[in-house]
């Protein structure tokens, strides 16, 4: 069990640029989640995958945001035309999905800074 | 929509003492799950303890225990024999047990400082 891995750890970009983050879940975890955490706040849910299917999306996930999990393993989160308000920590989590109420295991996050 | 409120932005405790962190939530559902997560500085969030709403017995994990009051919609975390390594942000979280939603709803967190 190597844990949830997120890359990069920190991304600095100019406003208007596109960015992509990657998340590698714990091996054999079927469920994968994305959250966003701004300073002084708790994480906010963005989206959730069961294998390759995106089953739930928050209204926070505007049309500039897209997430994929093409083979049911790693996932990517892309933000197009970044804005100042996108500056945040983006957290990925995974869970086994074989039984109900399995805990979500979080990665270290990717911190996005918009200049 | 469900909401989670942590009314204590910061708390401090002396090493070896006991501290209680408060959490209240708002829901119209009867079946749900509650969690406490710990987020040390610059480190990943880890699960501390969880409680199923249908269970009346309060969950316990070593030095960590909860006081779950379903009618009052209260879910406090008690840390006994506090250690320096307990210093972190603590987040209370809610998840429905109905309708297949997997999202966790988090409070704003409580920053716990442990004084030697």
């Amino acid at each position: 069990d190597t844990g949830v891995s997120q890359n990069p750890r920190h991304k600095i970009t100019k406003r208007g640029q596109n960015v992509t983050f990657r998340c590698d879940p714990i091996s054999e975890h079927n469920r994968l989640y994305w959250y966003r955490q701004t300073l002084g706040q708790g994480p906010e849910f963005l989206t959730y995958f069961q294998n390759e299917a995106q089953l739930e999306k928050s209204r926070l996930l505007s049309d500039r945001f897209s997430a994929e999990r093409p083979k049911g393993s790693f996932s990517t989160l892309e933000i197009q035309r970044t804005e100042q308000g996108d500056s945040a920590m983006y957290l990925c989590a995974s869970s086994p999905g074989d039984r109900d109420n399995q805990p979500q295991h979080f990665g270290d996050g990717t911190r996005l800074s918009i200049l | 929509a469900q909401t989670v409120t942590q009314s204590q932005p910061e708390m401090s405790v002396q090493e070896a003492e006991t501290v209680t962190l408060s959490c209240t939530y708002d829901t119209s559902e009867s079946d749900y799950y509650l969690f406490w997560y710990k987020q040390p500085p610059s480190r990943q969030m880890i699960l501390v303890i969880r409680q199923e709403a249908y269970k009346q017995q309060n969950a316990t994990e070593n030095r960590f225990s909860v006081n779950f009051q379903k009618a009052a919609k209260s879910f406090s975390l008690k840390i006994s024999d506090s250690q320096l390594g307990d210093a972190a942000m603590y987040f209370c979280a809610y998840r429905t047990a109905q309708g297949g939603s997997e999202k966790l709803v988090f409070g704003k967190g409580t920053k716990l400082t442990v004084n030697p």
Side-chain angles (χ1 to χ4, degrees):
Chain A
D1 183 352
T2 57
V4 177
S5 176
Q6 291 190 246
N7 288 288
R9 291 294 305 276
H10 197 176
K11 179 70 176 179
I12 302 172
T13 192
K14 293 182 179 179
R15 182 167 54 91
Q17 297 295 304
N18 299 343
V19 294
T20 300
F21 312 139
R22 175 177 171 125
C23 171
D24 287 88
I26 293 171
S27 179
E28 298 183 356
H29 276 195
N30 296 326
R31 295 178 177 173
L32 186 146
Y33 316 80
W34 286 99
Y35 291 83
R36 181 174 71 185
Q37 185 177 20
T38 54
L39 202 60
Q41 303 292 320
E44 297 172 292
F45 173 80
L46 293 177
T47 190
Y48 144 65
F49 290 84
Q50 171 85 25
N51 298 313
E52 67 274 10
Q54 189 174 20
L55 298 184
E56 192 173 0
K57 291 172 62 174
S58 164
R59 280 176 288 181
L60 291 175
L61 213 64
S62 75
D63 56 4
R64 295 186 299 106
F65 288 69
S66 63
E68 295 182 343
R69 195 182 183 197
K71 297 183 179 179
S73 56
F74 73 91
S75 175
T76 57
L77 177 67
E78 181 183 16
I79 308 174
Q80 296 182 327
R81 305 181 302 283
T82 52
E83 301 173 355
Q84 289 286 348
D86 297 332
S87 294
M89 177 74 83
Y90 290 83
L91 298 171
C92 178
S94 70
S95 68
D98 55 343
R99 296 193 306 277
D100 197 23
N101 194 26
Q102 290 295 299
Q104 296 179 22
H105 300 261
F106 284 81
D108 289 332
T110 293
R111 181 168 297 282
L112 175 63
S113 301
I114 306 296
L115 300 177
Chain B
Q2 295 83 19
T3 58
V4 176
T5 302
Q6 294 179 249
S7 59
Q8 306 153 317
E10 296 188 27
M11 290 283 284
S12 63
V13 63
Q14 291 297 125
E15 197 175 2
E17 297 294 308
T18 295
V19 64
T20 299
L21 308 185
S22 300
C23 173
T24 58
Y25 56 94
D26 186 25
T27 185
S28 59
E29 299 174 338
S30 59
D31 199 11
Y32 47 86
Y33 308 104
L34 296 165
F35 307 84
W36 278 98
Y37 277 88
K38 169 186 177 182
Q39 189 176 41
S42 301
R43 294 180 62 187
Q44 63 187 217
M45 191 153 5
I46 59 174
L47 178 67
V48 174
I49 197 166
R50 57 181 164 173
Q51 174 84 39
E52 290 87 351
Y54 66 86
K55 290 186 177 179
Q56 292 187 345
Q57 186 173 7
N58 290 324
T60 299
E61 288 287 343
N62 301 314
R63 297 183 297 106
F64 299 88
S65 62
V66 298
N67 183 5
F68 173 48
Q69 301 289 327
K70 191 172 184 179
K73 297 179 183 176
S74 171
F75 183 61
S76 61
L77 174 69
K78 186 172 81 171
I79 306 174
S80 303
D81 185 24
S82 297
Q83 301 175 359
L84 295 178
D86 295 334
M89 285 292 293
Y90 284 82
F91 292 97
C92 179
Y94 170 103
R95 183 169 84 78
T96 182
Q98 304 170 6
S101 176
E102 288 289 317
K103 73 175 183 181
L104 290 171
V105 178
F106 287 87
K108 289 187 176 182
T110 296
K111 181 180 180 181
L112 178 66
T113 301
V114 181
N115 300 310

